[in-house]
Amino acid sequence: MTRRHFTVPAPRASRSARKGRVAPLRTLAVLLVAALCATASAAPVAVVDDPGSGPLREVMAAEFAVSAGRLDDAVGWYLEAARAAPGDAALASRATRYALMGRDDRALGDALALWRKRAPETIGMQAASATLALRTGKLRAARRQLEAMLREGGARGWIAAFGALGTGSRDPALSARVLGQLFDRDALPTGPMPLSAAGQLALGLGDDELFGRIDAVARQHYPGDPAMGLLRVQYLHRAGRGDEARAVLDGLASGDALQEPRIRERLALAYAALGDPSAGATLLAAAPGADDDLAQLALRASLLADADDKGALAALYDGLAKGAEVPNPARRLLLAQVAEFLERPGEALDWYRSVPGGEQRSTARLRATKVLHDLDRGDEAYEALHALQQDADANERLRRDAYLMESELRREDGDADAELDALARGLAAFPDESALLYSRALMWERRDDIPRAEADLRRILVAEPDSTAALNALGYTLADRTDRYREALELIERARVAEPTNAAIIDSYGWVLHRLGRDEEALVELRRAFVLEKDAEIAAHVGTVLWHLGRRDEAMEWFDEARGIDPDNRSLQRALEDVGA
């Protein structure tokens, strides 16, 4: 479902309504790799000035390999550097960090052994050891290491242990088996947070039966826990047991946890995920002080828009308008956005123009041009945008965004030359500005002009060589639209080093592995990406790989999953055409 997301520029406004589904608990895999990387790179790498007497040459070669996206080479060089500096634990930890992301299990074992010799045992070491055992099929050793972490490591221990299970193994079924063994041995912590995290992990690994057993313990000890209850709703909904999911959610909505605003918001979004956004809006409306909390009013508006309930949205709009005599910028901005959805462009324009100042004023000035365009007053819209572009008193971000807005409106007009001209003028005013280059690269990609798309993404990388967005976009484009798969892999590896738990980057990594013919490896990575983010494009990629592996019934299930998230997704449509499904 694509949600109309009304915004309030305030810290609480950036909630997980943007994808139109219940935001899961923060995936423990994210915490795992963050913990590992923090531990592995906690100390700076020490090098000596004389290349002939220390590991400087090896460290430089390792860093060059990292920047080129050649992780296996980087691990080899860091191992050489660590061996050349016997007292340096930081180099061994750095080698371990990169080996965890690589494919060479022997190198991971060597790096970890060096690290263990040179520093006291840490959670990071234990997690790396468990990961190595999982990867090499030594389940008893993995379980023993994980039990120690769960028993002795406190919160950091169970976070890292669950993370190792979530991301360490290349076989989700194997990780699920070990998690089940830990559960059977009463090794899992029984607090509400670790139990819900274990339940989230079981669902992510695809073991619904194990989730049911964990859930039974949680219901016995914490019957009203909202985090576990929301997971139960997710599980039942995924299993096609919609009536049961709704009954559980209704029970949560009548419990004490409803008093917590963040829980109330998550429950409202859960109703939307079950196909009843109106119920979510009703839940929010019944909260104490509901008409005074602009962030919750914005979410209510989003849910009512999802439900296409223009009557209720109009009533909310009227209530908002009654309190707008005082010039509150956030309130007036929200009124303008709701008026846009209600197809009252004249009122929306008036509200945008009445926003008095601050960050909201900049947003309002920009959105007002879109409303003018929607009113078929394109000349006024472009005149206003050109004025913004030339306004010396406006901040640079607003001036830049005015070029981006003009290019978007020109595209809506079907005027390709004018779209390109707007971006070109923007780049003349803001040379090498990454947002403008990125937008133009996407434009070239839509036009199937891959060389020019590549050129703009490379211009970003000249100025910002560590831009993970540009690295990932270029790597994915080369993987998806050319046969330069090795080059694509190196670019994506560079992004993966910087953000090892970014679902979009993991998806790109899995996709390039598929293009290289390494479908079994690709499937592991794509499923990991889907655990981190339930996205239609990722689901379509999983379905494509399964189809190529001959597992067509499973593939169709994943394509159906993608349709349920976003039936119009471009990657899904291309995947279905490619496989002939």
Side-chain angles (χ1 to χ4, degrees):
M1 182 193 309
T2 300
R3 164 159 300 125
R4 175 61 184 243
H5 186 199
F6 300 107
T7 57
V8 177
R12 288 185 57 202
S14 57
R15 55 175 58 80
S16 37
R18 64 187 180 276
K19 287 287 185 181
R21 56 179 178 268
V22 182
L25 295 176
R26 187 176 182 192
T27 306
L28 268 293
V30 175
L31 301 178
L32 152 84
V33 181
L36 286 180
C37 292
T39 307
S41 57
V45 175
V47 297
V48 296
D49 294 329
D50 179 5
S53 61
L56 178 59
R57 180 181 70 87
E58 289 83 358
V59 170
M60 290 177 65
E63 288 301 307
F64 180 81
V66 169
S67 68
R70 299 196 301 271
L71 283 183
D72 289 343
D73 289 349
V75 173
W77 282 112
Y78 267 124
L79 276 171
E80 286 197 33
R83 289 169 181 141
D88 196 328
L91 286 172
S93 71
R94 186 72 63 95
T96 304
R97 172 191 175 186
Y98 289 123
L100 282 165
M101 291 186 287
R103 295 174 293 276
D104 189 338
D105 294 337
R106 178 176 294 180
L108 174 57
D110 291 344
L112 178 59
L114 285 176
W115 190 17
R116 283 188 181 281
K117 286 180 181 177
R118 297 175 184 182
E121 185 163 284
T122 63
I123 292 292
M125 285 182 190
Q126 291 176 323
S129 179
T131 296
L132 179 60
L134 287 167
R135 287 185 183 178
T136 54
K138 299 176 181 176
L139 301 194
R140 188 171 297 175
R143 191 181 65 220
R144 185 168 55 248
Q145 187 69 73
L146 291 164
E147 283 184 344
M149 296 165 67
L150 293 166
R151 184 176 57 251
E152 302 163 5
R156 289 187 68 235
W158 65 256
I159 288 172
F162 290 168
L165 285 166
T167 65
S169 171
R170 298 187 177 97
D171 181 358
L174 183 148
S175 288
R177 192 192 324 164
V178 173
L179 180 63
Q181 291 171 352
L182 293 169
F183 175 82
D184 292 337
R185 293 165 67 90
D186 294 325
L188 300 184
T190 55
M193 284 185 64
L195 268 180
S196 62
Q200 173 72 45
L201 179 58
L203 285 179
L205 294 171
D207 194 331
D208 289 354
E209 186 273 336
L210 177 57
F211 170 78
R213 292 195 287 144
I214 294 171
D215 184 39
V217 173
R219 279 185 289 175
Q220 178 183 351
H221 292 286
Y222 312 102
D225 178 55
M228 200 70 199
L230 283 166
L231 283 177
R232 196 175 307 130
V233 171
Q234 177 186 337
Y235 157 70
L236 291 168
H237 180 52
R238 189 170 80 177
R241 297 157 62 183
D243 290 343
E244 294 176 68
R246 179 61 183 255
V248 172
L249 186 54
D250 288 343
L252 291 170
S254 63
D256 294 339
L258 192 61
Q259 303 308 312
E260 168 57 43
R262 294 299 176 86
I263 296 296
R264 188 163 54 243
E265 292 168 11
R266 290 180 63 191
L267 293 173
L269 289 168
Y271 277 113
L274 294 183
D276 191 357
S278 290
T282 300
L283 182 71
L284 294 174
D291 293 334
D292 300 319
D293 187 329
L294 283 178
Q296 293 221 357
L297 283 167
L299 180 54
R300 277 172 61 192
S302 297
L303 293 169
L304 290 171
D306 280 353
D308 201 25
D309 188 344
K310 291 190 176 180
L313 192 56
L316 184 150
Y317 173 76
D318 291 341
L320 274 171
K322 289 177 183 176
E325 296 83 2
V326 177
N328 181 316
R331 192 181 197 94
R332 291 190 177 181
L333 180 61
L334 179 57
L335 275 161
Q337 292 175 310
V338 175
E340 270 197 82
F341 182 81
L342 289 172
E343 298 177 357
R344 302 181 187 179
E347 293 177 44
L349 187 61
D350 289 342
W351 285 120
Y352 280 131
R353 286 175 168 173
S354 74
V355 174
E359 178 187 348
Q360 293 90 345
R361 175 64 179 160
S362 294
T363 302
R365 291 178 70 188
L366 198 63
R367 289 298 306 174
T369 65
K370 176 69 168 68
V371 175
L372 284 169
H373 187 267
D374 292 344
L375 285 166
D376 294 324
R377 294 159 62 181
D379 290 344
E380 290 179 66
Y382 293 125
E383 183 180 346
L385 284 167
H386 293 159
L388 282 176
Q389 292 161 6
Q390 303 304 318
D391 186 350
D393 294 328
N395 63 58
E396 286 196 351
R397 182 174 179 177
L398 176 57
R399 291 171 55 215
R400 178 207 67 184
D401 287 350
Y403 289 105
L404 292 169
M405 177 64 82
E406 182 181 353
S407 71
E408 179 183 324
L409 298 182
R410 298 290 190 186
R411 183 169 69 253
E412 288 184 19
D413 291 340
D415 192 338
D417 291 339
E419 178 189 1
L420 178 58
D421 177 69
L423 292 170
R425 286 186 285 106
L427 285 165
F430 299 95
D432 295 325
E433 214 293 327
S434 60
L436 291 162
L437 285 169
Y438 197 90
S439 184
R440 192 168 70 175
L442 295 182
M443 179 199 72
W444 293 129
E445 192 273 340
R446 286 193 304 272
R447 298 182 187 183
D448 296 321
D449 193 337
I450 303 306
R452 283 180 171 166
E454 178 182 353
D456 277 342
L457 291 170
R458 289 197 184 280
R459 279 183 64 183
I460 297 173
L461 291 171
V462 168
E464 303 173 36
D466 296 326
S467 168
T468 53
L471 287 166
N472 186 51
L474 180 55
Y476 181 78
T477 299
L478 294 180
D480 196 49
R481 307 297 296 277
T482 78
D483 59 2
R484 294 155 60 190
Y485 307 140
R486 290 289 174 187
E487 188 176 354
L489 178 62
E490 291 181 359
L491 290 161
I492 294 165
E493 289 279 36
R494 288 170 60 187
R496 201 164 67 99
V497 167
E499 298 185 35
T501 58
N502 182 310
I505 294 171
I506 297 170
D507 172 59
S508 296
Y509 180 55
W511 191 242
V512 74
L513 291 177
H514 162 64
R515 302 288 273 179
L516 286 163
R518 294 157 55 180
D519 282 340
E520 292 290 353
E521 294 177 67
L523 191 57
V524 171
E525 299 301 331
L526 293 170
R527 281 177 162 161
R528 283 183 57 223
F530 194 76
V531 168
L532 293 169
E533 182 176 356
K534 304 297 185 286
D535 178 84
E537 183 167 354
I538 299 173
H541 286 162
V542 176
T544 300
V545 173
L546 285 167
W547 189 277
H548 281 271
L549 287 169
R551 296 156 62 178
R552 298 193 172 184
D553 289 343
E554 288 181 72
M556 292 307 301
E557 291 176 6
W558 281 91
F559 290 139
D560 288 342
E561 180 90 29
R563 284 192 192 95
I565 298 169
D566 179 7
D568 299 320
N569 181 268
R570 184 182 175 197
S571 292
L572 170 62
Q573 299 306 319
R574 286 175 56 193
L576 292 173
E577 290 175 11
D578 289 346
V579 303

